[in-house]
Amino acid sequence: ALVTLFHLMVGIPFGVSYFPVGWKSSTSTAANDISASEDEGGFVMDGTFPLPHKEALGIRMFLFSTIIGQLTMTYASNFRNCIALQMVENVPFCQSLSYIVIQHQGYGREALSTLFFLFGTASVIVGGVFYTLGRLELGKVLYFFPAHVLVGCIGGIGVFIARTGLEVTANASFGLDFVEKMPLLLVVFGFEAGLRLLDHLTKDSTGTSRYPLLSPIYFCLITPLFYLGIRACGISVENAFSEGYFFPPLDDSSGDNSVASFLSSFWSANTWDIFRVVDFSTISRAAVIESIPTMVALVLFSLIHVPINIPAFAVSSDVDVEINAELVAHGYSNGIVGLFGGLQNYMAYTQSIIYYKSGGNGRASSLAVAGLTSVLFFIGPSVASYMPRCMAGTLLLHCGIDLFLEGVYDSYGKYDYLEYGGIWAITCVMTMFGMEAALLMGAVSALLTYAIQSVTYLSPVRGSMTAATLRSSEWNRSPEAFDVLDSDVTGRVKIEVIQLQGHLFFGNISLFGESVKKIIQSNPAGQLPFIVIIDFTLVLGIDSSAAQAIIKLRDQLSHQLGTKLVIFVPGSVAGFPCEINISEQLNTARDFSGSYVCEDLDQALIYAEDALIATVNKNLLYDSIKGSFLSNDQKDIISMDDEKSHAIELLFRKCPGESRQVVEQFLSYFTRETYNKGDVLWKQGTKSDSAKLLVSGDLISKLEYEAETTETISIGSMIGESGLVQATNRNSTVYVLADNTVLYSLSSETWEIMKKNDLQSAQLLYSIVVRYLTLRVQHVSNRIFETRCLPI
């Protein structure tokens, strides 16, 4: 019932908008002469509609298309709770076609016949395109529409719908005549201002409305409030009607309250006008030919909504659907309605969400919606006769302003300057020159954007692999933590790393999303990755369409593929190479669940490893041996014996399988050293004369002659061992970052003695060297998609 009420509330304002205001209803005071004149170089429409009750005809056109769409979606769609609606965004095209036909055939029934033929033909073509794309599994082609072109069209349509709302309210074409109609318009402006104020006052701290149903309820209240208002002002309904505040009688039964007259609407001849208008013998070929560009624009614009609504509703309702199957369903619904001369329809996202959240589910419930809407088909125009014009005008004005703001205001900062300029250009061109010119401007804008944003790589995915053989720089974990990471069940094999490349833009975002999902789905059943790392290090640029696709992909991975954690790697401190700051929208992880942004692959792998360990045992993440056992405020109260035990434990971790006695013997060759902040342990290029174990404090290694890159050294790390064993010069300069930094040092002289007198201890150092070199070779920065780094 709620959805059906919304259908009536939407059907009235849009139903009376399919035909231009200048094509006046025979029940109004329009001039009966059929004339066309030129005014400032533009065609001025001023004639009588050939059928009685023009507005009732439009409302039934809306309801008929909605009914057919609902019935078809009930049986053909994979959604169990979707709501179909006439494609109200195409109202500008309907009026454009009206102008073309009238200029060829005047205002008579012949013109209406040609117009309905064009409506039906457009719907059949839209349905045929939808069906073909779905049947050939070419649904991804629809994603090639650039986002900024769509947004520009939305802004232009908003201006058109807002203007239409004022024209419907004033019952006059937009112009100087509006001055005389100002009392009618002031009512609409007042209701719109009230709704805007309520909407502003009910937003939370994030700018989101606390009451999503505020607008629908407000529109439902306009009619009773208007009646109360005119009663309070002492104005009778008859006087308000004569002043133009109400629609004229929209059906033969309007104004007659008898039950018989009310039921007669089911059998009224006017009820079936939409099926009897077309007369093929009166169709103007010249008008049809001239309408081809507008029809092409209508078809293209009709295709834009489906690839937006279907994935959005799938994520919101947590349902996995195939877009190609939904395209086929849209093909059936538009093809069927087109055969009867009806208008295009689609699955409406907003109404579907309301229906879903209200508990609507299943075929029986959907059929009930279609049944109640069918009742409105007969009695809706009679009900609409009691609705004031201000209700329709306010709804149209509000929708128009919202669409305009969505197009040119909300998009500010989300697109680069070139794309945003294209949005304004498309909006202005549509406002001044119409839909065909706007879509042509959109094509020019898209091609210009494509030409300027250089495309280096056609395939956005460079490669993928599991992290089974990858290692992070966090190689001082406890043995228990390494056991978790090396496990075939809980370890790094549950991490999937995907590396992207080149430019991500509207031309390859569909391929990008499909490729990522295909990679994940290619894993055997029951072995899907627990964590997905998407690396953007090699990506050169991201346009706004791709940025929005990345956010949608994050939601699809979480909701549809069961990925617990998605980690994004921009590969730069500056973030993603994009005008939009998508890092904030992607950085939402809580307790290692959701999505997270890491600066580089090493940090991403560390975070992923932490997530795997936390899944098994969170306590392993809080390692006192690795962490703050010897923090600066504790050093004065810790005995030397405790410090030595701590050093033995750190060293023991580097020698898995060795006995504690052997490790203690090996540590006995080391001497204790302390350093303060700013000290230099050694310079790059100097002779390697010692190896050192960091027991407490902070160190940093710096490559002096190679971009001056740095690497932090964590507690428990052994440094200088490779140079000592191989007798080579130092590879980097090491600085001390904290006072009272404690290291245990093995000198070259002691090393020589150890090799001669204690081969078991010397073998231990060789093992540490091999282990460290192996970890560095397998480090993610070296290993990513390269196999020759690994020993065979």
Side-chain angles (χ1 to χ4, degrees), residues 137-193:
E137 298 185 351
L138 296 175
K140 63 182 180 181
V141 172
L142 298 179
Y143 292 102
F144 290 157
F145 285 103
H148 73 284
V149 174
L150 173 60
V151 171
C153 291
I154 289 174
I157 288 176
V159 174
F160 180 90
I161 291 178
R163 187 186 70 183
T164 301
L166 299 179
E167 291 178 342
V168 167
T169 302
N171 195 26
S173 299
F174 190 83
L176 295 177
D177 293 342
F178 268 32
V179 177
E180 301 176 2
K181 305 289 185 175
M182 191 55 65
L184 299 174
L185 297 175
L186 287 176
V187 179
V188 171
F189 293 150
F191 277 120
E192 171 64 9

Side-chain angles (χ1 to χ4, degrees), residues 100-137:
I100 294 173
V101 171
I102 288 174
Q103 290 183 70
H104 280 273
Q105 293 183 283
Y107 299 95
R109 193 179 182 98
E110 296 80 6
L112 195 61
S113 173
T114 302
L115 183 59
F116 268 69
F117 171 77
L118 292 174
F119 287 164
T121 302
S123 296
V124 170
I125 295 174
V126 169
V129 174
F130 274 135
Y131 179 85
T132 302
L133 291 174
R135 185 61 65 187
L136 298 179
E137 298 185 351

